[in-house]
């Protein structure tokens, strides 16, 4: 696996599975946006993969997608009106259908290149069967650097807001 003295790994040797968050919170297509907003606020995360009725990856909702609710508040609607609006809209109405994914064995440097080139805040990590195995976020990269390039992220709280 190509490490360096002192126990750190070179970026080329690190795989997405070494750094990704494994505990992924997900939504269903027909969940209301209020649930997405609540989960993001309570868990301090910015991205939620969306699963279809069969449990397959169908999309992703980001904090940016929920910005419409904040815009409603800025236009003069109060918190109650915003909550009512988020309670009426479904995840499928605002989610991004084209989800960028990678495999757990993808080199971290390649995943970082994809995220940088496409200006993505995350990549959903899927296993060979297409099931969600984790999520790789910008915060995971920061954590990796702060920890001195050591892999071994067993579980995680995904990303802070």
């Amino acid at each position: 696996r190509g490490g360096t003295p002192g126990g750190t790994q070179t970026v080329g040797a690190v795989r997405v599975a070494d750094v990704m968050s494994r505990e992924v919170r997900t939504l269903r297509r027909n969940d209301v946006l209020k649930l997405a907003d609540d989960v993001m606020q309570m868990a301090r995360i910015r991205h939620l993969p969306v699963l279809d009725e069969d449990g397959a990856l169908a999309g992703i909702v980001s904090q940016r997608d929920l910005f419409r609710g904040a815009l409603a508040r800025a236009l003069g609607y109060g918190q109650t009106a915003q909550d009512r609006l988020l309670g009426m809209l479904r995840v499928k109405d605002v989610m991004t259908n084209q989800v960028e994914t990678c495999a757990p064995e993808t080199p971290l440097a390649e995943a970082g290149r994809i995220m940088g080139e496409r200006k993505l805040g995350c990549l959903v990590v899927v296993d060979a069967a297409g099931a969600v195995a984790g999520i790789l976020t910008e915060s995971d990269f920061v954590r990796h650097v702060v920890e001195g390039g050591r892999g071994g992220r067993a579980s995680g709280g995904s990303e802070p807001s």
Side-chain angles (χ1 to χ4, degrees):
R1 292 200 55 170
T4 59
T8 60
Q9 296 174 319
T10 60
V11 173
V14 179
R15 302 286 177 203
V16 167
D18 298 324
V19 179
M20 71 183 190
S21 298
R22 296 178 187 278
E23 295 176 18
V24 182
R25 291 168 180 85
T26 60
L27 297 170
R28 296 289 180 157
R29 292 171 34 85
N30 287 314
D31 287 339
V32 293
L33 282 185
K34 177 72 175 127
L35 176 62
D37 188 46
D38 289 347
V39 170
M40 286 183 186
Q41 286 186 31
M42 288 190 304
R44 295 183 42 117
I45 58 175
R46 294 185 299 251
H47 306 93
L48 289 166
V50 180
L51 306 179
D52 68 13
E53 295 73 24
D54 298 322
L57 183 63
I60 192 161
V61 172
S62 71
Q63 198 172 39
R64 196 174 298 148
D65 296 326
L66 295 178
F67 178 72
R68 291 177 185 95
L71 182 60
R73 186 186 316 155
L75 293 174
Y77 297 101
Q79 184 67 44
T80 302
Q82 180 183 344
D83 288 347
R84 201 171 317 126
L85 175 65
L86 291 176
M88 293 186 322
L89 293 173
R90 301 282 171 193
V91 167
K92 66 184 176 185
D93 297 327
V94 301
M95 73 181 193
T96 300
N97 294 303
Q98 299 294 325
V99 184
E100 297 287 342
T101 64
C102 68
E105 53 277 349
T106 302
L108 187 61
E110 180 182 337
R113 181 187 54 75
I114 291 167
M115 290 174 68
E117 286 176 0
R118 299 182 187 165
K119 300 189 184 329
L120 301 172
C122 74
L123 289 172
V124 178
V125 184
V126 294
D127 63 19
V132 175
I135 190 166
L136 180 68
T137 68
E138 295 166 320
S139 295
D140 293 324
F141 277 94
V142 171
R143 186 177 303 105
H144 178 68
V145 170
V146 168
E147 292 175 353
R150 293 183 301 276
R153 183 149 172 80
S155 64
S158 203
E159 70 230 293
S161 294

